[in-house]
Amino acid sequence: MKVYSIGELDITHEAWAAEYVKNVTPMIERYGGRYLARSPRAERIEGERAVPQIVVIVEWPSREACDAFYSSEEYRPYLQSRLDGARNEFLIVPGEDFTRAARI
């Protein structure tokens, strides 16, 4: 089953960002991930939460592929630089409809 990682980032220190994008983008693709969105133009249409500076959505072929990327030695220094340079919220969402009403 496909899974989606959804990240919300608020950059606090920009020094890490360019190197992160340059190196992590192809890394995610090597692990089977596919960017669906990476944008600073999210708009809130409901709710009261603050809109993050950047929203990232990546489609993964499986939870295992996502976990392999996230826990890899290759990614570890970039993960740490992101954690040090931004406020982050990340979710993993399975590609399913638990009600079985929609065809996914």
Side-chain angles (χ1 to χ4, degrees):
M1 171 190 315
K2 290 182 180 180
V3 299
Y4 301 87
S5 57
I6 303 169
E8 299 179 0
L9 292 86
D10 288 315
I11 307 296
T12 55
H13 305 287
E14 293 185 19
W16 63 275
E19 194 71 17
Y20 183 96
V21 169
K22 175 184 171 191
N23 292 297
V24 173
T25 300
M27 192 183 307
I28 282 177
E29 292 169 349
R30 282 195 306 276
Y31 278 86
R34 182 171 73 98
Y35 281 89
L36 300 180
R38 179 168 46 199
S39 179
R41 295 188 308 212
E43 294 180 53
R44 179 182 30 169
I45 59 171
E46 290 185 19
E48 298 177 16
R49 286 178 48 186
V51 176
Q53 288 175 349
I54 300 169
V55 175
V56 178
I57 303 171
V58 177
E59 177 184 74
W60 298 92
S62 66
R63 176 65 191 254
E64 292 78 18
C66 179
D67 290 346
F69 160 75
Y70 190 80
S71 64
S72 71
E73 289 296 319
E74 181 181 21
Y75 179 55
R76 181 166 289 142
Y78 298 102
L79 168 62
Q80 191 59 53
S81 68
R82 180 175 55 75
L83 292 174
D84 291 343
R87 285 187 300 280
N88 304 274
E89 296 287 335
F90 269 83
L91 301 169
I92 301 295
V93 180
E96 67 180 6
D97 175 7
F98 77 97
T99 69
R100 298 184 182 164
R103 194 174 51 225
I104 294 180

